[in-house]
């Protein structure tokens, strides 16, 4: 009995890994990368484009045509986040219950249809209604894909794969600006003109991709027709080998495990970091065209759109590069800390000068490492819980908190604060400095608590407990160690 408990209590990967062929794993990973990552990346690209294209539409005449005044534009952005936040955790629970292979394409179809509908609004009330619905459908996208990928990849592999779809956020800024400038060169699209064409064309593309994904997105390894039986068994064994005291990869949903995922200390601290990060990320996404317009007021609308592209291109490189380093060293917390210095420097430049060249250079520093926090944060909360249910709720809470930050960001750049936006830039500088403090403190706490756990007697604490009770301990299991 004691031997059995020792077997289930170990938090080491070695027992599971020694029976797995590294070359077979490498071949499997390449196959997963080919069949899974491109589909979810494309869907997330247009998810973010459909969300952020309102910034491009704004400088193409949306406010004038809808009769928006004062804070109406900020209110439109806020309405999106209210529904996004409300539906975040329920969406991720629904994703687990329905299965991500069906859920992700379905919500993608939903926000594609809503994007097309936005092209036909004529006043604030109608625009508010479609933005609310857009938030409902998009709420499950980011956490749903993160949870979906955690079904297929090891902990060290996951951060880089998350980056391959989250990199679509800065690419959406770059590609969205290019696409918007190209669309605006058209005389009309059917009966649509000007900014309405942006929503119509981009929404139709999203609908097409979502319909294709119903056929290409596989729900889980057991149902993957493109895997051999040996590859299916290996895919399941790989994930199971990293979960302490676990006999199943996909467990049944229960309330205790849901709360364990959300109340993990690492989930709570990382979620707060993601909230603060999203104040800056979402603020940049929605207001980058406006910021560029204040820097270069005499340029044409299309030129202003194109000026938003290069900073996002740099951001895309960092969003893949930093998680690649994380994958190489199987470390996330120290890299979360490393994302802050360039951003702090960028906002300091915005606050310290009104020189247009310097301020445009600052946008490159801002976009450099801001977006990399997304894959790192979601991977970190995923790595520091055990069960599939806890993982779904941890990721759901993390993204929900992130979007509370997004809600705050909609009021960070106010009309009367322009053109220098001292309040918005000051808020973002404070948020980034706080991220540096929290991530550093969390790293030291994780090391301290792991050292404290070394002194615990696993056998004594597990004595008299059933296998089900041991599995239910999750991160409270005495053999569990925090993964920095």
């Amino acid at each position: 009995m004691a031997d059995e408990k020792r077997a289930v209590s170990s938090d080491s990967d070695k027992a599971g890994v020694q029976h797995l062929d590294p070359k077979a794993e490498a071949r499997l990973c390449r196959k997963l990368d080919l069949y899974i990552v491109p589909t979810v990346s494309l869907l997330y690209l247009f998810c973010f484009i459909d969300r952020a294209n309102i910034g491009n539409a704004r400088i193409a005449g949306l406010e004038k045509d809808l009769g928006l005044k004062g804070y109406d534009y900020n209110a439109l952005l806020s309405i999106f986040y209210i529904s996004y936040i409300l539906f975040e955790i329920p969406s991720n629970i629904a994703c687990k219950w329905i299965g991500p292979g069906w859920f992700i394409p379905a919500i993608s179809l939903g926000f594609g249809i809503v994007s097309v509908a936005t092209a036909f609004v004529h006043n604030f009330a109608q625009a508010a209604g479609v933005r609310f619905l857009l938030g409902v459908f998009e709420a499950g996208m980011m956490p749903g894909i993160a949870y979906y990928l955690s079904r297929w990849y090891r902990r060290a592999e996951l951060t880089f794969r998350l980056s391959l779809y989250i990199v679509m956020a800065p690419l959406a800024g770059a590609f969205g600006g290019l696409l918007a400038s190209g669309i605006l060169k058209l005389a009309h699209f059917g009966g649509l003109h000007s900014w309405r064409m942006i929503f119509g064309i981009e929404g139709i593309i999203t609908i097409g991709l979502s319909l294709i994904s119903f056929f290409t997105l596989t729900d889980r390894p057991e149902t993957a027709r493109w895997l051999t039986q040996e590859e299916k068994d290996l895919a399941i064994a790989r994930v199971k080998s990293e979960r302490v005291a676990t006999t199943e990869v996909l467990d049944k949903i229960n309330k205790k495990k849901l709360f364990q995922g959300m109340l993990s200390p690492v989930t709570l601290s990382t979620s707060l970091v993601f909230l603060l990060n999203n104040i800056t990320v979402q603020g940049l996404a929605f207001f980058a065209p406006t910021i560029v317009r204040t820097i270069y007021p005499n340029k044409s609308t299309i030129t202003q759109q194109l000026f938003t592209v290069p900073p996002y291109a740099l951001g895309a490189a960092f969003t893949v590069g930093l998680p690649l380093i994380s994958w190489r060293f199987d470390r996330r917390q120290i890299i979360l800390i490393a994302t802050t210095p360039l951003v702090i420097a960028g906002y300091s430049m915005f606050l310290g000068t009104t020189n247009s060249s310097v301020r445009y250079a600052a946008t490159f520093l801002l976009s450099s490492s801001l977006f990399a926090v997304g894959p790192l944060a979601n991977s970190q909360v995923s790595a520091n819980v055990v069960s599939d249910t806890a993982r779904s709720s941890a990721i759901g809470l993390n993204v929900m908190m992130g979007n509370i930050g997004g809600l705050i960001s909609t009021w960070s750049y106010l009309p009367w604060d322009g053109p220098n936006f001292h309040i918005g830039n000051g808020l973002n500088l404070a948020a980034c400095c706080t991220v540096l403090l929290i991530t550093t403190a969390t790293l030291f706490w994780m090391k301290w608590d792991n050292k404290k756990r070394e002194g615990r007697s696993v056998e004594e604490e597990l004595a008299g407990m059933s296998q089900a009770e041991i599995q239910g301990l999750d991160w409270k299991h005495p053999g569990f160690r925090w993964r920095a």
Side-chain angles (χ1 to χ4, degrees):
M1 184 67 175
D3 290 340
E4 183 183 71
K5 291 200 185 301
R6 273 195 294 271
V8 299
S9 68
S10 174
D11 190 31
S12 171
D13 298 342
K14 295 178 182 177
V17 174
Q18 64 185 8
H19 302 297
L20 304 180
D21 179 6
K23 291 183 179 179
E25 282 200 75
R27 287 194 299 271
L28 176 63
C29 271
R30 287 193 293 270
K31 203 167 185 179
L32 297 180
D33 291 343
L34 180 63
Y35 279 83
I36 294 174
V37 175
T39 299
V40 295
S41 296
L42 275 174
L43 289 175
Y44 192 70
L45 170 66
F46 278 89
C47 168
F48 208 86
I49 284 176
D50 289 347
R51 176 193 315 182
N53 56 13
I54 192 170
N56 301 109
R58 183 189 193 187
I59 64 174
L62 176 139
E63 286 181 300
K64 180 181 178 182
D65 290 350
L66 297 186
L68 303 186
K69 299 176 182 177
Y71 301 127
D72 285 349
Y73 178 75
N74 302 79
L76 276 183
L77 301 183
S78 298
I79 288 165
F80 166 84
Y81 279 108
I82 290 170
S83 58
Y84 204 125
I85 292 164
L86 290 174
F87 285 86
E88 195 77 65
I89 292 177
S91 288
N92 225 36
I93 295 172
C95 183
K96 176 175 172 58
W97 181 57
I98 296 170
W102 294 101
F103 184 78
I104 292 172
I107 60 174
S108 301
L109 178 61
F111 62 70
I113 292 170
V114 170
S115 182
V116 172
T118 310
F120 297 94
V121 301
H122 294 282
N123 54 52
F124 174 81
Q126 293 172 355
V130 294
R131 291 295 292 183
F132 184 89
L133 287 176
L134 187 68
V136 172
F137 287 113
E138 288 203 5
M141 199 64 182
M142 186 182 193
I145 295 176
Y147 163 67
Y148 176 58
L149 293 179
S150 74
R151 286 186 167 190
W152 298 86
Y153 290 102
R154 284 184 177 277
R155 181 186 63 246
E157 300 163 349
L158 184 60
T159 308
F160 180 64
R161 271 66 185 193
L162 290 178
S163 77
L164 292 178
Y165 87 85
I166 293 178
V167 71
M168 295 301 160
L171 284 180
F175 181 63
L178 287 171
L179 188 58
S181 62
I183 290 171
L184 290 173
K185 290 180 180 178
L186 299 175
H188 62 89
F189 177 71
L192 302 177
H193 297 82
S194 186
W195 59 268
R196 298 182 186 277
M197 295 190 295
I198 297 175
F199 291 107
I201 292 173
E202 292 175 357
I204 289 171
I205 295 172
T206 304
I207 291 171
L209 289 172
S210 65
L211 292 174
I212 294 170
S213 69
F214 274 108
F215 301 97
T216 60
L217 208 60
T218 303
D219 192 62
R220 57 190 184 278
E222 295 94 324
T223 61
R225 288 175 291 180
W226 41 272
L227 291 178
T228 66
Q229 188 56 51
E230 284 186 1
E231 289 171 331
K232 291 178 183 179
D233 293 339
L234 177 59
I236 295 167
R238 277 162 32 87
V239 176
K240 188 186 292 185
S241 71
E242 294 192 322
R243 301 188 182 178
V244 61
T246 300
T247 58
E248 57 190 356
V249 173
L250 301 181
D251 58 335
K252 293 182 179 179
I253 295 177
N254 70 58
K255 187 184 296 185
K256 180 181 178 182
K257 290 180 180 179
L258 287 172
F259 279 102
Q260 281 177 330
M262 291 186 285
L263 298 178
S264 159
V266 172
T267 299
L268 293 173
S269 81
T270 306
S271 297
L272 180 56
V273 164
F274 202 41
L275 182 155
L276 295 167
N277 169 256
N278 268 266
I279 294 176
T280 54
V281 167
Q282 305 293 353
L284 187 65
F286 287 123
F287 293 99
T290 303
I291 293 170
V292 169
R293 183 170 61 184
T294 63
I295 298 173
Y296 299 110
N298 299 320
K299 301 289 185 181
S300 69
T301 298
I302 290 176
T303 302
Q304 289 172 355
Q305 302 273 15
L306 293 174
F307 265 115
T308 66
V309 174
Y312 279 115
L314 178 66
F318 270 77
T319 303
V320 174
L322 291 177
L324 191 60
I325 296 170
S326 170
W327 178 24
R328 172 67 179 82
F329 296 102
D330 193 14
R331 292 291 183 269
R332 291 156 296 279
Q333 197 67 26
I334 190 68
I335 300 176
L336 280 170
I337 295 170
T339 61
T340 56
L342 289 178
V343 182
I344 290 173
Y347 281 115
S348 298
M349 289 165 65
F350 259 118
L351 289 168
T353 182
T354 56
N355 181 280
S356 60
S357 297
V358 174
R359 301 188 89 192
Y360 184 60
T363 63
F364 285 83
L365 296 180
L366 301 184
S367 60
S368 61
S369 52
L370 275 177
F371 293 94
V373 175
L376 289 165
N378 281 301
S379 179
Q380 184 67 327
V381 298
S382 176
N384 284 285
V385 292
V386 179
S387 72
D388 190 67
T389 298
R391 183 166 287 102
S392 70
S393 63
I395 294 171
L397 177 68
N398 185 57
V399 179
M400 185 194 80
M401 291 289 283
N403 284 290
I404 292 175
L407 176 60
I408 295 170
S409 77
T410 63
W411 296 95
S412 58
Y413 290 94
L414 299 171
W416 55 265
D417 194 29
N420 294 320
F421 298 107
H422 292 300
I423 292 176
N425 293 322
L427 172 65
N428 287 325
L429 177 61
C432 197
C433 290
T434 308
V435 167
L436 176 60
L437 295 174
I438 294 173
T439 50
T440 304
T442 302
L443 177 62
F444 282 108
W445 178 85
M446 292 168 80
K447 290 180 178 294
W448 172 81
D449 195 60
N450 279 345
K451 189 174 181 179
K452 185 179 175 183
R453 285 169 180 256
E454 294 291 342
R456 296 169 65 177
S457 173
V458 175
E459 287 187 23
E460 288 181 13
E461 293 191 35
L462 299 183
M465 297 179 68
S466 67
Q467 177 65 43
E469 289 172 326
I470 293 171
Q471 286 187 206
L473 290 173
D474 207 86
W475 55 269
K476 294 182 179 180
H477 191 289
F480 178 83
R481 297 292 182 270
W482 302 109
R483 303 288 187 172

